[in-house]
Amino acid sequence: PSLNRLPNVHTEYNLYPILRDIMNKNFNFKFDSNITGKPGQTDLFIESPFFCCCEVTPPGSNATGFSKVAEVDGHRKTLVFKDSKKADKRFGDSYVGACVIGPSFTIEAGEDKAGAVDMANAMKISLISYNDLYELVCINEKIKLKEEDFEKIFFNKNEEAEASLRINRLKKFV
């Protein structure tokens, strides 16, 4: 499913309501309504069942490079930093995840190069393809996924950026 190639998708902003709708209806995710992908904001911010900044690859791109990975890492760090300065902290001790949603992700060969996968591993960011979301919807229809299952997909805590690798482990339970 190439969401970024749908007829009414002309800009990155056109993808936000589609992605929110998919994740809300199928996974019961709730999003911060004040975060709409305006300049200086992350594109989507999941606020329940966990906290996660999401950047979305613009339509027309076949592969996401490292710039989106760096962008979502910056958004996550800024949100956590600003929250830590407040008296009434939103995140408390909760981990704030970060992911990039796109059609595919670049891999660069060589020690002197960095693609999206290398950078995401270095920054502990999850890379979730549109196909990954589709597979999660299918898996969730067969076996109701728990919050911990979604955390394993949306959070990259073990230097395994590509969510598809973690989804493959979930498939053996279907």
Side-chain angles (χ1 to χ4, degrees), residues 34-81:
N34 294 316
I35 295 181
T36 58
K38 295 180 288 233
Q41 283 187 332
T42 193
D43 296 337
L44 303 169
F45 187 75
I46 300 168
E47 62 181 2
S48 177
F50 45 74
F51 298 113
C52 188
C53 295
C54 305
E55 280 300 307
V56 178
T57 302
S61 299
N62 290 322
T64 305
F66 71 86
S67 60
K68 277 289 182 182
V69 175
E71 185 178 356
V72 77
D73 187 55
H75 288 309
R76 171 176 53 183
K77 286 178 178 174
T78 302
L79 281 170
V80 170
F81 173 76

Side-chain angles (χ1 to χ4, degrees), residues 5 39 44 50 56 59 71 79 93 97 104 117 124 132 140 161 163:
R5 305 264 189 229
L44 303 169
F50 45 74
V56 178
E71 185 178 356
L79 281 170
D93 292 333
S104 64
V117 174
K124 299 205 179 292
D132 293 337
N140 196 44

Side-chain angles (χ1 to χ4, degrees), residues 136 145 149 153 166-174:
L136 283 174
L145 295 172
D149 298 320
I153 304 307
R166 298 185 300 279
I167 290 169
N168 284 335
R169 287 194 287 279
L170 281 176
K171 285 182 190 176
K172 63 181 169 188
F173 298 110
V174 178

Side-chain angles (χ1 to χ4, degrees), residues 21-42:
D21 190 53
I22 289 169
M23 291 188 274
N24 177 269
K25 285 182 178 173
N26 293 285
F27 313 144
N28 202 30
F29 286 6
K30 304 293 182 239
F31 294 85
D32 184 325
S33 60
N34 294 316
I35 295 181
T36 58
K38 295 180 288 233
Q41 283 187 332
T42 193

